[in-house]
Amino acid sequence: MSARQVTLAEVAKQAGVSLATASRVLNGSTRQVSEDLSERVLRTAEELGYVPNASAQALARNSSSLVGLVVHDITDPYFSCIAAGVTRVAEAAGLSVVLGTTGRRPEREAELLSTLRAHRARAVVLAGSRTTDRAAQSRLAAEIDAFTEQGGRVACVSQAKLGTDTVVPGNRAGGRALARALAELGHKKFAVLGGPSELVVARDRLAGFKAGLADAGIAPPVVINGAFTRDGGYAAAMELLGSKSRSTCVFAVTDVMAMGAMAALRERGVRIPEDISIAGFDDIPTLRDTVPALSTVRLPLEEMGEIAAGLVLDAGGDEARTIRVAGEVVLRASTAHN
Amino acid sequence: MSARQVTLAEVAKQAGVSLATASRVLNGSTRQVSEDLSERVLRTAEELGYVPNASAQALARNSSSLVGLVVHDITDPYFSCIAAGVTRVAEAAGLSVVLGTTGRRPEREAELLSTLRAHRARAVVLAGSRTTDRAAQSRLAAEIDAFTEQGGRVACVSQAKLGTDTVVPGNRAGGRALARALAELGHKKFAVLGGPSELVVARDRLAGFKAGLADAGIAPPVVINGAFTRDGGYAAAMELLGSKSRSTCVFAVTDVMAMGAMAALRERGVRIPEDISIAGFDDIPTLRDTVPALSTVRLPLEEMGEIAAGLVLDAGGDEARTIRVAGEVVLRASTAHN
DNA sequence: GCAGCGCTGGAAAGCGCTTTCCCGCCACGC
DNA sequence: GCGTGGCGGGAAAGCGCTTTCCAGCGCTGC
């Protein structure tokens, strides 16, 4: 075993050409190589089963074919959809994506970025939602700077103003539109399962929702914070049920949280939507077949991943670009007239 | 911008030591370095914000800190769970995982492996399910050989006998146990939504299920093949409904397919489980809160990912190891007595 | 007292590529 | 006819590390 990998030098020798020529043939060079030499090299490479050493290429070119993708939890459909979009675009461009997961610890984001920098990744998309944690945030900003200084590009999903390209979902607008749609159903008393208060995505959706209620002249909702997960939704819903606040409609800032909340409600014998209406945000594909079908704000998650990857892969100017994608309110069976 | 990255040489010079010494200090070497030199190097590295160039290290060591992960579709919860397990273990070991997606095209698997080989990935876990496609299979085998010859390790999830380490879920045993459990509920007429016939995972589950029915002295099920996706389940269920075969219990070889099937049944006004019982396989966490709760065979997906990563990361002997993980039948509300 | 050993530090040879620079060749133009 | 310029090919200098090998040095053991 361990038959050493065939190298460019071997191919060159075998084909009777110089290293330089072989390199020029096998990798897009601006330089022209004559037809016959070129073909000879190609054939030998094929015969020998030559595979270029990516590390060596990266070293010589000072830029690799890696693009980073940082998510909190690949298990969360929100992230896996974005990941699908990113990988599709990256692979189509002949790049490999290295996946980093933070486990929702903000400081991991900077660590991962540093690793990616070590690998001379040519770009990275940060899909994790931004926190308001000051320390982590500045450490991250420093890493982003270091990364871009080194020539890499960075794009964020859903977290503007880091001075990078960004695809921004209409969190606020979506929350607002949803609130208005729900108000039109006749609901007057709302509760929001609000996710962690440090997460700007959660805050934006909540803020939008409040604005929407205000638009409709409805009193501010009860807000219960909790983890950005199924269990967080479950716990928040339980807390809500305990609180004796008689809301007729609940907005969970995430579909995944909404699922947890619905489980809690069911467990307590609360019927959806007869007793309480509930809505989420994201429109996770995996959850589209649930009963009752969840009202939500649809985000084109995979497309967002594609856009982010596109942003990060074509050179682009120096100024940070921001692409906004709108959320679309989708009312389904989990919300009823009141 | 593009302030070139700090190199080891700079650190060494700044610290007044040789390149060799700096290298020895900053990366685990067997060689001892005196306390004061060592500390001096560490401090300067810190001050200068030194980050080792992973490509250069990979080149010099002839082995990178990358581990590959190949899945069909990261959006599918089955794969994203496995991915979570793999990344957790890999990141804990200080490695980065590069994610490749095949989009369910078998030939992509070999391509990705080749890319991974180019990157000198030290290991790869193949989570995509094996097909019986002869050509793709042999191309893949060749790539696996090339990869291991080069010194990399390969582990597969759920596809034994490729001569690699493997974690094998009890597909057959799970299917069989499920069939028996369902038979005990009194069902006599079964249908199976069987996935694509080339996929061995699908075949194994089906074969196990048939065996279980035989154990119980029940006639073989109607089998309808279809894609290994939600839509495949939907279509297969529609076909089943059209076929006038009056089964009382349906087994979809995948939870995701079961979801599609349930959607189809509901659409046609078939009540679950009153009119038809339905069961899946995998016990996807995201789907645990659905109503009616899906009966299924639970697989510890994340753990399988962790095991695979573990297999592939600790050296291990030369003989291929096989770890079996059992599926556990979980009967819930989607299946009723008949 | 000295050969020999273990230990630390440094010089330098790669690792497998890319790319600059140079060289020889040919077609042109005057 | 010869200078020029363009062009295809090769030699070789890196890219930033690791690691082998050697030098020096303080000890130990006879």
Side-chain angles (χ1 to χ4, degrees):
Chain A
M1 60 169 279
S2 271
R4 233 189 55 274
Q5 193 64 17
V6 306
T7 70
L8 223 213
E10 288 166 19
V11 174
K13 198 168 98 205
Q14 183 91 343
V17 303
S18 78
L19 204 51
T21 302
S23 170
R24 294 200 263 251
V25 170
L26 294 174
N27 311 284
S29 158
T30 41
R31 289 275 305 255
Q32 199 84 322
V33 174
S34 74
E35 185 66 21
D36 61 336
L37 281 200
S38 162
E39 197 199 326
R40 212 152 75 213
V41 171
L42 251 15
R43 216 186 34 240
T44 352
E46 168 79 6
E47 284 170 15
L48 267 43
Y50 170 72
V51 175
N53 183 321
S55 309
Q57 286 187 310
L59 182 57
R61 295 185 175 143
N62 191 29
S63 125
S64 72
S65 57
L66 263 25
V67 347
L69 168 60
V70 176
V71 303
H72 282 328
D73 174 9
I74 192 62
T75 267
D76 185 325
Y78 173 82
F79 290 116
S80 65
C81 286
I82 292 178
V86 171
T87 54
R88 182 174 313 125
V89 170
E91 293 186 355
L95 302 173
S96 300
V97 355
V98 357
L99 172 68
T101 55
T102 68
R104 299 183 192 282
R105 276 164 298 139
E107 74 278 10
R108 272 290 287 161
E109 215 152 3
E111 290 173 24
L112 286 167
L113 211 40
S114 168
T115 305
L116 257 8
R117 181 153 61 99
H119 281 288
R120 298 297 183 276
R122 85 166 49 175
V124 52
V125 356
L126 262 24
S129 23
R130 186 160 59 100
T131 84
T132 53
D133 173 334
R134 234 62 199 74
Q137 206 52 26
S138 75
R139 167 97 202 278
L140 178 59
E143 280 296 345
I144 289 180
D145 284 352
F147 192 87
T148 53
E149 290 233 322
Q150 181 208 279
R153 298 187 62 84
V154 177
C156 297
V157 173
S158 92
Q159 44 188 35
K161 85 151 156 316
L162 279 175
T164 65
D165 288 342
T166 309
V167 5
V168 186
N171 283 323
R172 189 173 301 253
R176 186 166 185 173
L178 179 62
R180 290 201 280 219
L182 262 18
E184 270 180 26
L185 291 181
H187 292 280
K188 299 272 183 271
K189 295 218 53 165
F190 287 85
V192 177
L193 276 22
S197 55
E198 331 78 75
L199 272 188
V200 317
V201 171
R203 291 159 69 111
D204 284 353
R205 291 178 182 181
L206 171 57
F209 195 80
K210 282 179 173 168
L213 292 186
D215 290 347
I218 290 177
V222 179
V223 176
I224 299 181
N225 293 310
F228 222 44
T229 61
R230 181 267 175 204
D231 289 348
Y234 180 92
M238 280 302 186
E239 187 178 330
L240 177 66
L241 289 179
S243 76
K244 289 292 151 221
S245 87
R246 286 293 99 212
S247 316
T248 62
C249 185
V250 174
F251 167 47
V253 294
T254 273
D255 277 3
V256 171
M257 290 183 70
M259 286 304 288
M262 288 171 74
L265 296 179
R266 263 197 310 273
E267 230 170 73
R268 289 302 182 81
V270 178
R271 293 167 307 161
I272 302 168
E274 294 81 0
D275 300 330
I276 287 191
S277 289
I278 182 164
F281 206 115
D282 287 338
D283 197 25
I284 301 299
T286 317
L287 263 23
R288 293 209 183 129
D289 288 318
T290 56
V291 177
L294 187 60
S295 293
T296 188
V297 178
R298 169 177 299 160
L299 248 29
L301 296 172
E302 289 205 31
E303 192 186 329
M304 284 163 55
E306 288 174 359
I307 295 175
L311 239 30
V312 99
L313 290 188
D314 61 49
D318 263 353
E319 80 294 353
R321 291 164 292 179
T322 298
I323 306 288
R324 304 187 179 282
V325 315
E328 179 198 354
V329 173
V330 190
L331 257 28
R332 296 197 271 234
S334 70
T335 46
H337 280 276
N338 190 47
Chain B
M1 60 170 283
S2 272
R4 232 189 56 275
Q5 193 64 17
V6 185
T7 72
L8 224 213
E10 287 166 19
V11 174
K13 197 167 100 204
Q14 184 90 343
V17 301
S18 77
L19 205 50
T21 302
S23 171
R24 293 200 264 253
V25 171
L26 294 175
N27 311 284
S29 158
T30 41
R31 289 274 306 257
Q32 199 81 325
V33 174
S34 74
E35 185 65 20
D36 61 335
L37 280 200
S38 161
E39 196 200 327
R40 213 154 74 213
V41 171
L42 251 15
R43 217 186 33 241
T44 21
E46 168 78 8
E47 284 171 15
L48 268 43
Y50 170 71
V51 175
N53 183 321
S55 309
Q57 286 187 308
L59 182 56
R61 294 184 177 145
N62 192 30
S63 125
S64 74
S65 56
L66 262 24
V67 347
L69 168 59
V70 176
V71 303
H72 282 328
D73 174 9
I74 194 61
T75 267
D76 185 327
Y78 173 83
F79 290 116
S80 66
C81 285
I82 291 177
V86 171
T87 54
R88 184 175 311 127
V89 170
E91 292 186 355
L95 302 173
S96 300
V97 356
V98 356
L99 172 68
T101 55
T102 68
R104 299 183 192 281
R105 275 163 299 141
E107 74 278 10
R108 272 291 287 161
E109 215 152 3
E111 290 173 23
L112 287 167
L113 210 40
S114 167
T115 305
L116 257 6
R117 181 153 62 97
H119 282 288
R120 298 297 182 275
R122 81 166 52 174
V124 53
V125 356
L126 262 23
S129 22
R130 185 160 60 98
T131 83
T132 52
D133 173 334
R134 233 64 200 73
Q137 206 53 25
S138 74
R139 167 97 203 277
L140 178 59
E143 280 296 346
I144 289 180
D145 283 352
F147 192 87
T148 54
E149 291 231 323
Q150 180 208 283
R153 299 188 62 84
V154 177
C156 297
V157 173
S158 93
Q159 45 189 36
K161 85 149 150 326
L162 279 176
T164 65
D165 289 341
T166 310
V167 3
V168 187
N171 284 324
R172 190 172 302 252
R176 186 165 184 172
L178 179 63
R180 291 202 281 219
L182 261 19
E184 269 179 25
L185 290 181
H187 292 280
K188 299 274 183 268
K189 296 217 52 162
F190 287 86
V192 177
L193 276 23
S197 55
E198 332 78 76
L199 272 188
V200 319
V201 171
R203 291 160 68 113
D204 284 353
R205 291 178 182 180
L206 172 57
F209 195 80
K210 283 178 173 170
L213 292 185
D215 291 347
I218 291 178
V222 179
V223 177
I224 299 180
N225 293 310
F228 221 43
T229 61
R230 182 267 175 205
D231 289 348
Y234 180 92
M238 280 302 186
E239 188 177 331
L240 177 67
L241 288 179
S243 76
K244 289 292 151 219
S245 87
R246 284 295 98 210
S247 316
T248 62
C249 185
V250 174
F251 167 46
V253 294
T254 272
D255 277 3
V256 171
M257 290 183 69
M259 285 304 288
M262 288 171 73
L265 296 180
R266 262 197 311 273
E267 230 170 72
R268 289 302 180 83
V270 179
R271 292 166 308 160
I272 302 169
E274 294 81 0
D275 299 331
I276 286 192
S277 289
I278 182 164
F281 206 115
D282 287 336
D283 197 25
I284 301 300
T286 317
L287 264 22
R288 293 211 183 125
D289 287 319
T290 56
V291 177
L294 187 59
S295 293
T296 189
V297 178
R298 169 178 301 160
L299 247 29
L301 296 172
E302 288 204 32
E303 194 186 327
M304 285 163 54
E306 288 175 0
I307 295 175
L311 238 31
V312 98
L313 289 188
D314 61 49
D318 264 352
E319 80 295 354
R321 292 164 290 180
T322 298
I323 307 287
R324 302 189 181 282
V325 314
E328 179 197 353
V329 173
V330 190
L331 258 28
R332 297 197 271 232
S334 70
T335 48
H337 281 274
N338 190 45

